[in-house]
Amino acid sequence: MDLHDKEILPGDILPVVIIGNGPSGICLSYLLSGYTPYLSPEASHPNPLLHSKLAEHPHLSLLEQDLEYLCEGLEGRSSNPVAVLFDSLLLPDSDFGFDHTSPLEWQYEPERAIPHLVLGKGPPGGAWHAMEGSMLTLSLANWMELPGLKLKDWMRDKRRNVRNDRATPAEIASYYQHYVSQMSLEQNFACGTLVTSVTRQPISQEGSPPCWRVTGLQRREGEELGDGSTLSEEVPFSVLARNVVLATGTHDIPARLGAQGESLPFVCHSFWDLEAAIARGELNQSSDPVLVVGAGLTAADAVLATHHLNTPVYHAFRRSVNDPELIFNQLPKLLYPEYHKVHQMMTQQHQRNNSQQDHTQNLHRSNPSSSSSSLPRYPGYLSFPRHRVVEFRPDRKCVLESDAGERTVVQVSKALVLIGAHPNLSFLDNNGRSLGMNPEEPISCRRNPIEVDPFTNRVIAANGPGMYAMGPLVGENFVRFLKGGALAIASDLTKRQKEEAEKGEGELSIDRLMDRCVDRQTRADPEVCLVDV
């Protein structure tokens, strides 16, 4: 949907605007478009208590039922109760390796649809389009799918052989983009949009109720040039919405160490920087080592990619290799052999008590104190557990410091700082810090998520009603569980819509909004394109 070249008449308020078009926003759009889950009359759930609760009101959709009541007694791998509930209904007992059929049946009921607009900087799929495309996803393929379209079936249509139960990020990104088309959701999506401000609007002089104003820029392709390229411009837009959903994810701004020299040219903060260096032929087996900082999956992917080139690798991270919070200690070995390999490397080839040395010449030697002859050896790799980077120097030397205060100097060709990312919430006051569990800290998925009501996903500290948050912003970093946020929000909006309908307050459909648009070309200033809902 193009937001430019149209102006919606002042006073019109769109029911819902979703900021972010990744899997969170896509799943919520699906639920708000009239696709409604019911308990199938023929189905049963392996949890008899949950099944009996659902069967108490079989005529009610899941969106209309008491989610808090249904969540009671459920346990799962998420701290969000609605996420555990919805996951249990979509993928019953999947944690135990079972492939039970979901007891839910989906009915398309367009009369239940709530008009909404989904804003995203790129194509539907969000950050998945920016991820390295050849690595396998952490989650199993069916954990990545959205309701109504089996990912495995879609993958089989795209390639003859499905190698295993995991997919590449490129496949997932393509699946999400196809999902929006397949489910006929395109009319709700405005891509190429950058939101610059979300503010609370008071009651207007005309008597319009308080609402949210969402403003930003939308990229528009202009005239085609002689070489086949096109000019693009950014056109401002402004939308009024009764409800705003924050679904931006947390991959926008790479986290930084704050170490001295971190802005030097050889220090990078993205896996793509490593990919680019490899493509340019800058790294090979004769290069100085690459320093990888971090103990997450992106850092592990960087270790694997560099090690595959036979380029030496230093790997520094703050945790102990035995820390139960380390992601590698939470992954089944059979499902994730490549990450198990990295964990083996971290455990067996690590630095001990060799402070204040330049290790470049000794990197290919095995560490006899940390591995026995019966264990696999990984020449060209050396890990530094429980170390932090103190300084990056212009001569490409990096100073590492252990928890005990011992310092080690390493010579590197490139340093990759891959320690996570922060969301870009610059469109909110103070980057949205006031919405977090700790208002003094930046919003982050693990350390400081946005505080929401667990059964509605309403933002607790919002400066007005009608603000929701979902996905990584509230601590759900796996597609499997972020779908619960979509259920919680859709359920709350459905119940509020019913209450308003009983009071005689009608909603404005997106078709009615578009019908009331006027062409900006008839205006005095045709270059200023605005949607003012």
Side-chain angles (χ1 to χ4, degrees), residues 295-296 317-331 343 346-347 385-387 403 446-447:
F317 44 95
R318 296 297 303 270
R319 296 184 183 274
S320 162
V321 292
N322 298 317
D323 191 324
E325 294 297 316
L326 198 69
I327 185 64
F328 307 103
N329 290 321
Q330 303 173 26
L331 301 178
H343 193 219
M346 295 164 65
T347 303
R386 305 181 69 172
H387 277 69
D403 284 354
R446 292 186 178 181
R447 297 181 179 85

Side-chain angles (χ1 to χ4, degrees), residues 183-219:
M183 301 301 171
S184 300
L185 307 179
E186 299 105 320
Q187 71 272 15
N188 301 317
F189 281 70
C191 299
T193 56
L194 175 65
V195 174
T196 57
S197 176
V198 174
T199 55
R200 188 67 178 167
Q201 299 291 113
I203 298 177
S204 69
Q205 293 180 349
E206 293 78 18
S208 297
C211 58
W212 299 95
R213 181 177 290 276
V214 181
T215 61
L217 301 169
Q218 184 176 37
R219 187 174 60 254

Side-chain angles (χ1 to χ4, degrees), residues 75-112:
E75 296 181 353
R77 293 169 56 188
S78 171
S79 59
N80 184 322
V82 181
V84 174
L85 168 66
F86 204 27
D87 178 71
S88 176
L89 292 171
L90 293 171
L91 302 167
D93 281 352
S94 62
D95 278 337
F96 302 105
F98 296 112
D99 190 20
H100 293 308
T101 301
S102 171
L104 297 180
E105 66 175 17
W106 292 84
Q107 299 180 18
Y108 179 55
E109 301 173 332
E111 69 278 6
R112 291 182 178 269

Side-chain angles (χ1 to χ4, degrees), residues 264-302:
L264 289 169
F266 72 93
V267 183
C268 305
H269 295 81
S270 167
F271 187 92
W272 288 106
D273 295 323
L274 174 63
E275 288 278 286
I278 293 173
R280 292 191 298 265
E282 295 177 4
L283 299 175
N284 53 52
Q285 60 186 5
S286 61
S287 303
D288 281 335
V290 171
L291 172 64
V292 177
V293 182
L297 299 178
T298 304
D301 288 340

Side-chain angles (χ1 to χ4, degrees), residues 66-78:
D66 185 342
L67 297 184
E68 185 171 0
Y69 171 63
L70 295 177
C71 289
E72 290 175 356
L74 295 181
E75 296 181 353
R77 293 169 56 188
S78 171

Side-chain angles (χ1 to χ4, degrees), residues 61-262:
S61 73
L62 186 60
L63 299 176
E64 299 168 283
Q65 300 212 29
D66 185 342
L67 297 184
E68 185 171 0
Y69 171 63
L70 295 177
C71 289
E72 290 175 356
L74 295 181
E75 296 181 353
R77 293 169 56 188
S78 171
S79 59
N80 184 322
V82 181
V84 174
L85 168 66
F86 204 27
D87 178 71
S88 176
L89 292 171
L90 293 171
L91 302 167
D93 281 352
S94 62
D95 278 337
F96 302 105
F98 296 112
D99 190 20
H100 293 308
T101 301
S102 171
L104 297 180
E105 66 175 17
W106 292 84
Q107 299 180 18
Y108 179 55
E109 301 173 332
E111 69 278 6
R112 291 182 178 269
I114 299 177
H116 59 281
L117 183 63
V118 185
L119 306 176
K121 290 183 290 186
W128 286 93
H129 290 279
M131 294 182 187
E132 200 284 318
S134 60
M135 297 293 180
L136 293 175
T137 60
L138 174 63
S139 298
L140 299 177
N142 63 334
W143 293 358
M144 309 295 295
E145 68 189 22
L146 298 179
L149 181 61
K150 289 290 186 182
L151 178 57
K152 284 185 179 180
D153 295 341
W154 178 84
M155 288 171 60
R156 288 191 181 96
D157 290 340
K158 293 295 180 182
R159 51 182 174 149
R160 293 183 178 179
N161 297 315
V162 179
R163 297 189 303 273
N164 49 45
D165 287 332
R166 294 162 65 194
T168 67
E171 290 169 331
I172 297 299
S174 181
Y175 163 80
Y176 290 143
Q177 194 164 0
H178 175 77
Y179 182 93
V180 170
S181 174
Q182 180 74 18
M183 301 301 171
S184 300
L185 307 179
E186 299 105 320
Q187 71 272 15
N188 301 317
F189 281 70
C191 299
T193 56
L194 175 65
V195 174
T196 57
S197 176
V198 174
T199 55
R200 188 67 178 167
Q201 299 291 113
I203 298 177
S204 69
Q205 293 180 349
E206 293 78 18
S208 297
C211 58
W212 299 95
R213 181 177 290 276
V214 181
T215 61
L217 301 169
Q218 184 176 37
R219 187 174 60 254
R220 178 174 64 177
E221 297 301 326
E223 61 179 298
E224 185 172 337
L225 301 179
D227 59 0
S229 62
T230 57
L231 290 174
S232 63
E233 58 179 333
E234 292 184 329
V235 182
F237 69 87
S238 179
V239 178
L240 293 181
R242 184 172 300 181
N243 302 283
V244 169
V245 181
L246 308 178
T248 60
T250 60
H251 289 84
D252 291 306
I253 305 172
R256 299 177 68 89
L257 297 167
Q260 183 177 346
E262 193 170 357

Side-chain angles (χ1 to χ4, degrees), residues 349 361-367 379-382:
Q349 302 280 128
Q361 302 301 320
N362 301 317
L363 184 58
H364 292 275
R365 300 176 185 174
S366 297
N367 188 341
Y381 173 90
L382 189 63

